[in-house]
Amino acid sequence: MAQMKKKGIAVSGSLKKDNVTLYTRCGKIIIRSATSDMPTTRTRSQLINRQRLAHSTNLWKALRASGKPLLEGGKTAYGRFCSLMSKMTPVFMTKEEYLNYGALLLPGMPVSDGILQDIAYHWGDAGGTPALVTSINAARPLPANATGTDMVRALCDRNGMWKEGDGVRLYSLTQTTESMIPKVYVTMEEICLGHGESAWRFAELEPATVDGQLALAGAAVGLTNRGWAIVHTRNGHCSSQGVLTRSTLYEQYMTEEALLRAAESYGGLTEQSFITPGKG
């Protein structure tokens, strides 16, 4: 390692070029060889893993923008989200698409993870209006423009699964395409299960009962670029829920063609290195 007195040149931070690193320490310029230049490899498996992480990160940013996500099963909420996303089929986008927050609406994408009992929901119909029909038993039919008092009576009379003061989070996800880049936007609303005469409804959906089950109904449920998730919350805990969506745009990004297109944007795939048997 060589040292030079600082004269006629100002170095802030470090400068690396031609396998030589220059940086300033205690007013002196330090010159040393750069030993950390490792070849960047892009084997097929590496590309898939990196694509998983890049997509999970962009989806996480969209989810977090809607409010603090509740994911209790890991050291951090982000780490738990990425762990759950790693079990999903990967999608492939280019470097430019990821740098511009490209993301795809995936069926089953996690929005919460917790200890409360999960809620099941499926597509249905409430008096001619598209609805998310849930597994939540309703003790009595809900009137039009149901109030907080109506909801407490309907949900809290049956058993201990629901209590006054519990919350219901509704996640609404929208798939868009901007300048040929797919993007996902997320909004979240949370309503407390409490007494009161004010209307108990979300911005686009309102409660109804379908065959004795709580449903959330609205024209937006029928749109093919939307996704939905319903989460039960209580004292900082939640149920574990994923997204229900009619969107199929993601299918175009799961093909071999999409993988090769993504790889090309990073410089193409490199071959996996193998040890040749019998050679030292």
Side-chain angles (χ1 to χ4, degrees):
M1 180 185 297
Q3 296 185 2
M4 294 191 305
K5 292 185 178 179
K6 186 177 179 181
K7 184 178 181 181
I9 184 172
V11 178
S12 176
S14 65
L15 172 66
K16 182 170 68 175
K17 184 173 179 59
D18 297 330
N19 294 320
V20 175
T21 297
L22 293 84
Y23 59 94
T24 302
R25 178 188 293 169
C26 300
K28 297 180 179 180
I29 298 175
I30 307 299
I31 304 174
R32 65 174 178 80
S33 62
T35 58
S36 58
D37 277 338
M38 297 294 290
T40 301
T41 58
R42 290 175 299 276
T43 65
R44 187 183 185 90
S45 61
Q46 287 172 328
L47 176 72
I48 291 173
N49 289 335
R50 291 165 183 168
Q51 289 274 309
R52 282 186 189 277
L53 181 58
H55 189 233
S56 295
T57 298
N58 281 358
L59 282 178
W60 171 256
K61 291 176 180 177
L63 180 64
R64 188 180 59 185
S66 70
K68 182 180 179 180
L70 296 175
L71 292 109
E72 304 180 68
K75 291 184 178 180
T76 66
Y78 170 69
R80 181 57 177 165
F81 179 79
C82 290
S83 177
L84 294 171
M85 284 293 297
S86 70
K87 301 174 184 177
M88 305 191 71
T89 303
V91 294
F92 305 103
M93 286 190 285
T94 65
K95 180 178 181 179
E96 179 184 3
E97 288 169 335
Y98 278 130
L99 289 175
N100 285 279
Y101 306 103
L104 291 155
L105 182 49
L106 301 178
M109 167 194 157
V111 298
S112 65
D113 183 60
I115 61 175
L116 300 185
Q117 183 176 331
D118 299 353
I119 302 170
Y121 32 86
H122 61 272
W123 305 122
D125 180 276
T129 301
L132 299 167
V133 181
T134 77
S135 58
I136 303 170
N137 293 326
R140 61 187 68 189
L142 291 171
N145 299 317
T147 65
T149 297
D150 295 324
M151 295 303 297
V152 169
R153 290 173 177 171
L155 300 185
C156 297
D157 286 357
R158 280 279 179 99
N159 52 52
M161 178 179 175
W162 291 85
K163 299 178 181 179
E164 185 178 353
D166 285 4
V168 179
R169 281 191 176 191
L170 176 66
Y171 283 92
S172 170
L173 300 91
T174 304
Q175 178 75 75
T176 67
T177 301
E178 301 173 9
S179 301
M180 303 299 289
I181 297 175
K183 295 186 178 183
V184 172
Y185 294 95
V186 184
T187 61
M188 185 273 290
E189 301 170 81
E190 186 167 12
I191 296 180
C192 177
L193 194 62
H195 288 292
E197 296 307 315
S198 59
W200 199 96
R201 69 184 308 275
F202 295 99
E204 296 180 277
L205 308 182
E206 58 184 35
T209 47
V210 176
D211 298 327
Q213 306 301 119
L214 175 68
L216 294 177
V221 173
L223 299 177
T224 58
N225 70 326
R226 300 294 293 277
W228 308 90
I230 303 169
V231 182
H232 179 193
T233 65
R234 177 187 295 161
N235 298 326
H237 298 294
C238 64
S239 57
S240 301
Q241 305 297 156
V243 171
L244 185 66
T245 181
R246 303 179 193 270
S247 177
T248 58
L249 181 63
Y250 67 91
E251 294 176 351
Q252 302 176 31
Y253 294 83
M254 290 182 172
T255 65
E256 180 70 14
E257 180 182 0
L259 183 151
L260 295 177
R261 172 176 170 268
E264 185 63 28
S265 72
Y266 288 93
L269 292 175
T270 56
E271 296 295 328
Q272 177 70 60
S273 298
F274 296 98
I275 298 175
T276 304
K279 290 188 177 182

